[in-house]
Amino acid sequence: MRKQKMIALASSALALGLTACSPANSTDSPNSTGESAGRTYTYTSDQDGVESLDGVELASSLGEFTPAKKYRVAVILKALTNQYWQGIEKGAKAAAAKYGVEVTVQAASSEKAQAEQLTIAQTLIGQKFDAYVVAPESTSNLSPALNQMRQQAAPIVNVDDARVPATVYVGPDHELDGSQAADELAKLSPGGGEVAQIEGQSGSSAAILRIKGFKEGVAKHPNLKLVASVPGNWDANVSYSAAQQVIQQNPNLKGIYANNDTMAIGVAKAVKESGKNIAVIGTDGVPEAVSAVRGGSMAATVSPLPYYEGYWAVESAVGLLEGKKIAPWVVAPAQTITKDNVGRFYDESGQVITTLYK
């Protein structure tokens, strides 16, 4: 188990514990969180060993409440070109409507635009939001912005990827995403066989953990053999080319796991063109992948249902501002979505059923 890491501020960036500023002692921040005066926020960057709560239980844990004011929450995502982050945006806006808060959602132009995301974050910080929801592109690209958020005495909710110092992390256990994919491939190939993995962007926490989870998951099934694990960089075209090469080099391949659905779509295209019966599994549960699962070109996608991640992230931010106690890790339970159960989670258009956990 990795050692729990905790970062917090009092009078300096290294002190443990942080008391939010009130208008009485904050002359340069008219929009800082005055209602949080006297509250202490702890920032944790590793969910291992910390208290956790299933997201399904978050609402009942918080209880019914009406916020004391119309809080302003900034949501900084990776890239809205990806349907996954679009789902998180929808959930965040739904929670904002539920609690009557103002939410501003911004994202970089791509999941590789780390400097751009930092500029976006620092611009929003200058507007003095009450709380921040962040999905950094790497574990370090938003470090200067996170320091500024802590200096504002604002709660920080880290959603889905890149474990960074935050008050609450809302997201899945990414290692389980990978291991569940391995379990599904073992189920689909009871006689065993060769499998491969298409890896996400280097440096991404989600990719690192999913790669690890899949490799460990395959190792638990003696009938499976991992013959390749190659980069796909969260890109459908890169993954298409990578899958073509893997298929050519491994004629007995039975299955391929892609670390996200964008890549899985590219892999499925390569498999179709090969004319071979190779099971393709992705991760995320984006509409295009859900349609592919329904149509049979993908065997499954392992999804934490991003709509709910966005919803729980904003709900957690508002709860923290209201002084509610929330576990450091709000777990988004990953579901293995197959042709047999897809109707339970998604409607015919591929959109998540928003009443699933209500």
Side-chain angles (χ1 to χ4, degrees):
M1 180 179 292
R2 287 169 289 175
K3 186 177 180 181
Q4 182 180 346
K5 305 168 189 172
M6 306 179 74
I7 300 176
L9 290 173
S11 58
S12 73
L14 299 178
L16 186 63
L18 171 63
T19 300
C21 301
S22 68
N25 58 17
S26 178
T27 58
D28 62 342
S29 181
N31 295 319
S32 61
T33 311
E35 287 73 16
S36 295
R39 292 183 189 139
T40 299
Y41 299 118
T42 299
Y43 301 96
T44 307
S45 59
D46 191 340
Q47 71 265 31
D48 283 354
V50 303
E51 180 187 359
S52 64
L53 173 72
D54 192 307
V56 179
E57 301 171 353
L58 179 60
S60 59
S61 172
L62 294 174
E64 287 293 331
F65 69 94
T66 300
K69 60 172 277 190
K70 187 171 184 175
Y71 294 110
R72 299 168 62 247
V73 180
V75 179
I76 304 156
L77 301 181
K78 292 174 72 171
L80 293 174
T81 52
N82 186 326
Q83 291 177 327
Y84 187 80
W85 299 104
Q86 292 171 18
I88 288 181
E89 178 187 31
K90 289 178 182 177
K93 289 182 175 179
K98 156 78 173 174
Y99 290 103
V101 301
E102 177 186 336
V103 67
T104 297
V105 181
Q106 292 191 19
S109 57
S110 80
E111 295 190 43
K112 302 174 185 177
Q114 296 186 16
E116 179 190 357
Q117 191 189 40
L118 174 59
T119 298
I120 288 169
Q122 291 182 315
T123 299
L124 291 171
I125 289 166
Q127 299 173 27
K128 303 292 195 304
F129 282 80
D130 296 301
Y132 298 89
V133 173
V134 298
E137 297 200 354
S138 76
T139 54
S140 61
N141 76 298
L142 290 188
S143 292
L146 293 167
N147 286 333
Q148 291 173 293
M149 292 172 193
R150 292 194 293 270
Q151 287 165 3
Q152 286 185 1
I156 303 170
V157 178
N158 179 194
V159 62
D160 187 82
D161 199 0
R163 300 296 77 74
V164 294
T167 318
V168 171
Y169 165 62
V170 177
D173 182 334
H174 289 291
E175 287 188 34
L176 282 177
D177 290 344
S179 65
Q180 285 180 220
D183 291 343
E184 187 65 18
L185 286 177
K187 178 180 174 183
L188 292 170
S189 301
E194 298 178 349
V195 296
Q197 176 171 218
I198 305 298
E199 302 173 354
Q201 185 71 40
S202 176
S204 163
S205 290
I208 292 167
L209 294 171
R210 290 171 190 172
I211 291 166
K212 180 175 183 286
F214 183 70
K215 288 181 177 179
E216 291 179 351
V218 169
K220 292 177 183 177
H221 297 281
N223 60 335
L224 295 182
K225 180 182 179 182
L226 182 63
V227 294
S229 188
V230 298
N233 301 333
W234 300 141
D235 186 282
N237 292 328
V238 173
S239 300
Y240 166 72
S241 298
Q244 283 184 313
Q245 186 172 10
V246 169
I247 292 168
Q248 288 175 350
Q249 294 174 345
N250 301 277
N252 298 318
L253 203 62
K254 296 294 185 182
I256 301 176
Y257 168 56
N259 285 174
N260 82 351
D261 283 341
T262 298
M263 298 191 302
I265 296 299
V267 172
K269 179 182 176 184
V271 168
K272 182 179 179 180
E273 291 177 356
S274 75
K276 295 189 173 185
N277 183 22
I278 300 172
V280 177
I281 297 179
T283 291
D284 282 349
V286 303
E288 188 175 1
V290 171
S291 295
V293 169
R294 275 200 169 100
S297 60
M298 281 179 57
T301 177
V302 183
S303 176
L305 306 178
Y307 171 90
Y308 289 99
E309 287 185 287
Y311 191 99
W312 294 331
V314 169
E315 188 171 44
S316 295
V318 178
L320 289 167
L321 290 167
E322 286 290 298
K324 302 284 186 178
K325 183 182 182 300
I326 301 177
W329 182 12
V330 175
V331 182
Q335 306 288 350
T336 301
I337 311 297
T338 67
K339 193 171 184 177
D340 292 336
N341 68 9
V342 63
R344 177 186 166 199
F345 301 98
Y346 294 88
D347 63 23
E348 290 297 326
S349 68
Q351 299 298 317
V352 69
I353 297 172
T354 59
T355 56
L356 185 64
Y357 294 143
K358 295 181 181 179

